[in-house]
Amino acid sequence: KWRVVLAAFLVSVLIIQYGICQKVEPKPKTKAEKRPNGKPKTGKGAEKALAPKPKADQTYLTQVVNKRKFQKVGDTLTIQAGDTLELRCKGNPVQWTVPAYLQEDDEGRLRMVQHERYGTLILANATVPDTGEYICYPMYCEDKECRKEYDKAVKVFIFFSDPQELFVPSSDYYEVIQLRTNWSTVLPCQVTSPLAKVTLHQEFPPMEVKVDGTEISFDVKKGFTIHRSKQYHAGSLYCIASLGNLRQSSTKYMLIYINYPTAPPSPAIQASSDTVTVGKNLQVTCTVVGEQDVVVDFTWKYPGQKIGRPPYTQDSVQTVQVDGQNRQRSETVLEVDKFREVDQGMYTCTARNLEGSRSASTSVKVQSAGTTTRPKKQNKDTQQ
């Protein structure tokens, strides 16, 4: 009997195992199979499904409108003068940068407070001069050392508007600005409202200056930019802003054109002889060949200065051809009359322009009996 029962049990086990082996695992459906024709989900809720979640460490600014209301801040923000500004920046710790006017003297109106998860900037009784860029930098700290994370900084340009003031006031009636060759120049006539219409004007002769967006452009956060300064841009200019029935003029900007060099000068120095007989005359020449209309100033250091020997120099400027182009040759010649033993040593010429200075040197000795003289040219350029 027990043999029959055992045989029946074994047969049952074999049948169950055979059934399990025949069972096929279903293939996981692809996105295309889940939706007919592989079409993505559309309609209500689709945006929510596709929108990426903000990163956990993403830095952002919010404005505290009231104790229970917050709004995310964009590139610009407009606040009425006299109101209180409160900004929150995510991070611990964070560091704030504010316009120069507030950095110099905030009169106790500005407070910065660090909380557990965010930093707060509070500016009470805001004024028109507070207009400018406000930046929050998250800080990365190791032990007690912290540094700004510049790539995570968030910025907002805030206009503090006043119905009676269209320009941020300036203490200067005239502001002198240099127009440098091939450099952009900014006329910072900063308005207090992004809605103001701003035009650029020339004082003499009186006329509106054309702003084409290429040679001259306007940015409501910066003012007018002259992208490639030319000589005809020089003169007295000012801005006019209008909003509604109000029309006002800005500070006047006196633009002075300067042919600004691209590099410091490179002087070459040559003595009339590297050895000089006592009682004879010596000439040391320093030459710079460079851009036209660039002023080069020369100064000398020479052994005779130690005993009060005055410098006698002859300076000249002329136009020369170099590789088919007009260049300016600036030259100075130091003359040493009746050479003495105290005049032997190192002669150094320093040439300077607006971009910097470089020096060149050569040495001169007293001639010994039986030696011959020869011109010597030696350059030892050093940039300052």
Side-chain angles (χ1 to χ4, degrees):
K1 236 179 184 184
W2 65 268
R3 289 180 180 174
V4 174
V5 172
L6 180 61
F9 175 75
L10 291 174
V11 171
S12 300
V13 170
L14 289 173
I15 291 172
I16 292 170
Q17 287 182 344
Y18 179 77
I20 292 172
C21 291
Q22 291 299 316
K23 187 177 180 182
V24 180
E25 281 288 320
K27 287 174 67 178
K29 291 184 179 181
T30 62
K31 290 183 179 179
E33 290 172 338
K34 287 179 181 178
R35 301 187 187 97
N37 301 325
K39 293 180 180 178
K41 183 179 178 182
T42 58
K44 189 175 181 182
E47 280 188 17
K48 188 175 180 181
L50 297 174
K53 293 182 179 179
K55 294 180 181 179
D57 60 347
Q58 184 179 1
T59 309
Y60 55 87
L61 278 176
T62 54
Q63 180 193 4
V64 182
V65 181
N66 55 47
K67 291 183 178 180
R68 296 185 179 180
K69 188 177 179 182
F70 307 88
Q71 62 182 20
K72 194 172 180 181
V73 174
D75 292 336
T76 62
L77 184 63
T78 302
I79 304 290
Q80 291 296 318
D83 289 353
T84 296
L85 168 71
E86 184 173 349
L87 296 176
R88 284 189 180 184
C89 179
K90 182 184 175 184
N92 185 11
V94 301
Q95 192 172 106
W96 297 88
T97 297
V98 298
Y101 175 81
L102 281 173
Q103 292 176 4
E104 293 170 2
D105 184 13
D106 60 33
E107 299 176 348
R109 298 180 297 114
L110 180 66
R111 289 191 300 120
M112 300 173 189
V113 182
Q114 182 63 55
H115 300 276
E116 184 179 353
R117 296 183 180 179
Y118 60 89
T120 301
L121 180 147
I122 302 172
L123 177 61
N125 194 23
T127 64
V128 167
D130 299 335
T131 296
E133 190 170 57
Y134 292 72
I135 309 174
C136 170
Y137 295 97
M139 305 293 287
Y140 175 77
C141 298
E142 282 185 316
D143 297 329
K144 294 183 179 180
E145 296 292 327
C146 294
R147 59 177 174 82
K148 294 178 181 178
E149 295 191 85
Y150 289 92
D151 57 332
K152 295 181 180 179
V154 284
K155 307 176 182 180
V156 57
F157 193 96
I158 303 179
F159 298 91
F160 291 96
S161 62
D162 186 317
Q164 302 303 318
E165 292 284 348
L166 294 183
F167 286 106
V168 175
S170 171
S171 58
D172 299 321
Y173 180 72
Y174 264 106
E175 184 175 338
V176 178
I177 297 177
Q178 290 185 356
L179 291 170
R180 297 182 178 183
T181 311
N182 296 330
W183 282 37
S184 61
T185 303
V186 176
L187 277 63
C189 42
Q190 181 58 63
V191 290
T192 62
S193 171
L195 302 178
K197 181 183 178 182
V198 189
T199 52
L200 182 61
H201 296 260
Q202 180 178 291
E203 189 173 18
F204 304 109
M207 61 178 288
E208 182 177 338
V209 179
K210 183 180 178 182
V211 178
D212 58 4
T214 303
E215 186 174 294
I216 303 177
S217 64
F218 177 73
D219 185 333
V220 73
K221 298 186 221 176
K222 295 194 303 182
F224 289 96
T225 301
I226 302 174
H227 294 282
R228 293 182 64 86
S229 302
K230 302 294 182 184
Q231 193 162 3
Y232 57 80
H233 291 131
S236 178
L237 277 70
Y238 60 96
C239 307
I240 291 181
S242 56
L243 182 62
N245 297 324
L246 188 60
R247 179 182 169 91
Q248 291 180 343
S249 298
S250 72
T251 294
K252 292 182 179 178
Y253 302 98
M254 181 59 70
L255 274 58
I256 301 174
Y257 179 78
I258 298 176
N259 192 1
Y260 210 84
T262 57
S266 296
I269 193 169
Q270 181 176 359
S272 57
S273 176
D274 62 350
T275 57
V276 184
T277 304
V278 172
K280 297 293 184 179
N281 295 336
L282 169 70
Q283 289 186 337
V284 186
T285 304
C286 185
T287 306
V288 169
V289 177
E291 303 165 74
Q292 285 194 298
D293 302 321
V294 172
V295 176
V296 179
D297 294 320
F298 295 100
T299 55
W300 285 97
K301 285 186 179 180
Y302 54 96
Q305 282 177 316
K306 297 176 183 178
I307 60 169
R309 291 263 269 174
Y312 296 100
T313 59
Q314 291 183 355
D315 299 339
S316 62
V317 177
Q318 63 182 116
T319 300
V320 296
Q321 285 279 323
V322 178
D323 297 330
Q325 294 184 345
N326 288 336
R327 306 283 283 172
Q328 179 176 285
R329 178 189 176 100
S330 304
E331 187 174 270
T332 182
V333 180
L334 177 67
E335 298 181 351
V336 181
D337 295 334
K338 297 181 180 180
F339 194 84
R340 309 175 191 176
E341 287 192 6
V342 294
D343 292 320
Q344 71 175 342
M346 190 70 69
Y347 287 75
T348 300
C349 161
T350 299
R352 180 184 299 275
N353 63 20
L354 290 172
E355 189 61 30
S357 64
R358 290 194 180 109
S359 299
S361 301
T362 188
S363 62
V364 179
K365 297 180 180 179
V366 173
Q367 183 178 347
S368 303
T371 60
T372 58
T373 63
R374 64 181 186 276
K376 181 179 179 183
K377 186 175 182 179
Q378 181 177 348
N379 289 311
K380 298 178 181 178
D381 287 357
T382 58
Q383 185 171 357
Q384 300 176 8

